[in-house]
Amino acid sequence: MSGEELRGLAERCGIQASYRDVRDQEVEASDESLAAALEALGVQDGTIPWEDDPGVVVAWDGKLPRGSRATVVTEDGEEADPSAPLPPGYHELHHARGEPSLVISAPARLPRPEGHSWGLFVPLYAVRSGRDWGTGDLTDLRELIEWTASLGGGIVATLPMLAQFYTDPFEPSPYSPVSRLYANELYVDPLAAPEVDTSDEARRILADRAFADSLERLRSGDLVDYRAAAAAKRRVLEPMSQTFFAAPPQGFRRHLEENPDLETYARFRATCEEHAAGWPAWPDDALVAVDDPRARYHLYAQWLAHEQLEAVGAAARERGSGLYLDMPLGVSGGGYDVWRYRESFALGASGGAPPDAFFTQGQDWGFPPLHPHRIRSDRYRYVRATVAYLLRYATLLRVDHVMWLHRLFWVPEGLDPSQGVYVTYPAEELYAILLLEAARAGASVVGEDLGTVPPEVTEGMDRRGLHHSYVVQY
């Protein structure tokens, strides 16, 4: 394939053959970089696997694009008049031939609240008190929201509070979570759970002098010891989970029915512990049984996290305040989301950033990027789930590196960041998902748009009513 043909194929697949750097100089991608990016996308011998996919249609304010004359079936299973505004939701456009297209019916713009407000940003691990176990917890967060509201503040923001690896493997960064669909049990408050009063073993551990001394050491340390803090909390939560599963409440059973993947997640985490490794290093893909005590621990921990996060969100709403949660750009390559939604990720590349004045060699962030075409082929199942999960609790959602809605810098496997390329994403469809889920939750969206951001990103955010981010000094 000639260089010209390679560039043409790359551009058809959404790979940018050049970009402008921080000095406004044009940087041309090499043939090697374009070929490697095409390979990461799964393009072989010039064949584009997704060209015959049924597609996605955005109905802004419920209005289908002109010429959409096929039958519309709403997400409730009702047939709708395609000439009339559709209700908000995910619908199907049925054609005479082939598979139906996904229709995302979303408000064209999110309303921006009038006036100004102030609030606090603090990582939850840094919210320390006389009762903490080495980090703050969700009870502390609720109290912080109530205290802030009592002073007239309207927002409490924190870093991602999503599930993480704290044993082997060990990945403590909140921007490399195990999953963007499940919570970090490190922030559960065991003393707020009913089982703390009914588990004899948990009460014995809590009454033990040596255990109390270990908590005091965690509490008084200058640094967060994630391994020790997570181990201390788990030591109490495990016997509490045994008590819980002796007679699980009806609310938990409903929660499982509403979240059928939760058992799979718990089994995945238990299997990681079985092999002391993320899924790529497992000897096979078999999961441990759901009744394994380790799996039951993760089920119980996620149930508590859900209950306590709901209480935090309710406290914020009752106070007229906002809980501001953070959706990180990536997830751990060895974690649950990449294992469960493998086709949604490009496993032959990493997300990153091109060279700039500070990182002169560029950046490789080490996580697999979302595959822009396969997430679309899958009707954005994973993307919809990640946004909806955080908006169950948040009234304000921060989208990390919001530029990814338009394009993301990929570093193909085997190349260094200076050889990376930009890959484009279906921005209008991704905005539609954000706006639909935010409108359903009565929430607002903030984009992290700091640094060198192309004009189309700023324009897209303004058009759709997303808030911008600013560094105060500038």
Side-chain angles (χ1 to χ4, degrees), residues 63-276:
K63 299 172 185 174
L64 284 166
R66 290 183 180 179
S68 302
R69 300 187 181 280
T71 303
V72 176
V73 178
T74 69
E75 62 184 7
D76 296 327
E78 302 291 330
E79 190 170 317
D81 180 358
S83 65
L86 298 173
Y90 301 103
H91 314 309
E92 287 188 341
L93 189 66
H94 288 257
H95 312 280
R97 297 177 183 174
E99 292 293 315
S101 300
L102 171 68
V103 178
I104 308 172
S105 177
R109 180 180 171 83
L110 288 176
R112 287 182 173 172
E114 296 181 3
H116 293 81
S117 184
W118 66 269
L120 301 178
F121 164 77
V122 58
L124 190 50
Y125 59 74
V127 179
R128 309 303 292 274
S129 68
R131 51 168 293 280
D132 73 63
W133 293 32
T135 71
D137 61 28
L138 291 168
T139 296
D140 294 320
L141 182 59
R142 189 178 72 236
E143 291 175 355
L144 185 63
I145 286 170
E146 293 170 349
W147 177 76
T148 304
S150 74
L151 299 177
I155 296 289
V156 172
T158 187
L159 290 179
M161 298 188 295
L162 297 164
Q164 289 180 242
F165 285 127
Y166 286 132
T167 52
D168 295 313
F170 181 68
E171 282 190 272
S173 169
Y175 289 95
S176 185
V178 175
S179 174
R180 295 196 296 181
L181 302 168
Y182 296 100
N184 189 338
E185 68 266 26
L186 179 67
Y187 298 126
V188 163
D189 178 7
L191 302 184
E195 291 72 34
V196 76
D197 296 321
T198 55
S199 169
D200 293 339
E201 178 62 12
R203 290 203 309 273
R204 185 195 67 75
I205 293 168
L206 289 168
D208 181 69
R209 184 68 248 173
F211 183 76
D213 289 344
S214 70
L215 293 188
E216 184 56 40
R217 286 193 295 274
L218 289 170
R219 193 175 295 131
S220 59
D222 292 332
L223 301 176
V224 174
D225 186 338
Y226 286 107
R227 284 185 188 271
K233 199 153 285 190
R234 183 162 181 166
R235 189 177 168 196
V236 174
L237 288 175
E238 280 186 336
M240 289 168 62
S241 74
Q242 294 168 13
T243 301
F244 177 82
F245 279 106
Q250 191 60 38
F252 174 72
R253 298 180 192 278
R254 284 195 302 271
H255 186 64
L256 278 184
E257 291 171 3
E258 294 165 2
N259 301 274
D261 267 6
L262 178 54
E263 287 189 343
T264 306
Y265 168 78
R267 295 173 66 196
F268 172 88
R269 293 301 303 270
T271 309
C272 289
E273 292 166 14
E274 173 83 10
H275 301 299

Side-chain angles (χ1 to χ4, degrees), residues 274-299:
E274 173 83 10
H275 301 299
W279 69 270
W282 295 354
D284 55 54
D285 221 18
L287 298 179
V288 303
V290 71
D291 59 357
D292 183 288
R294 295 164 298 189
R296 285 195 160 188
Y297 160 75
H298 284 287
L299 279 174

Side-chain angles (χ1 to χ4, degrees), residues 273-356:
E273 292 166 14
E274 173 83 10
H275 301 299
W279 69 270
W282 295 354
D284 55 54
D285 221 18
L287 298 179
V288 303
V290 71
D291 59 357
D292 183 288
R294 295 164 298 189
R296 285 195 160 188
Y297 160 75
H298 284 287
L299 279 174
Y300 176 63
Q302 287 302 313
W303 164 249
L304 290 184
H306 165 69
E307 290 277 280
Q308 294 181 13
L309 275 166
E310 280 209 325
V312 170
R317 288 187 290 273
E318 287 167 11
R319 290 282 192 162
S321 185
L323 175 59
Y324 178 126
L325 294 182
D326 194 341
M327 186 172 77
L329 173 63
V331 290
S332 167
Y336 176 75
D337 292 5
V338 180
W339 173 83
R340 177 68 177 81
Y341 297 93
R342 219 165 302 182
E343 288 297 306
S344 292
F345 294 86
L347 300 183
S350 296
D356 58 28

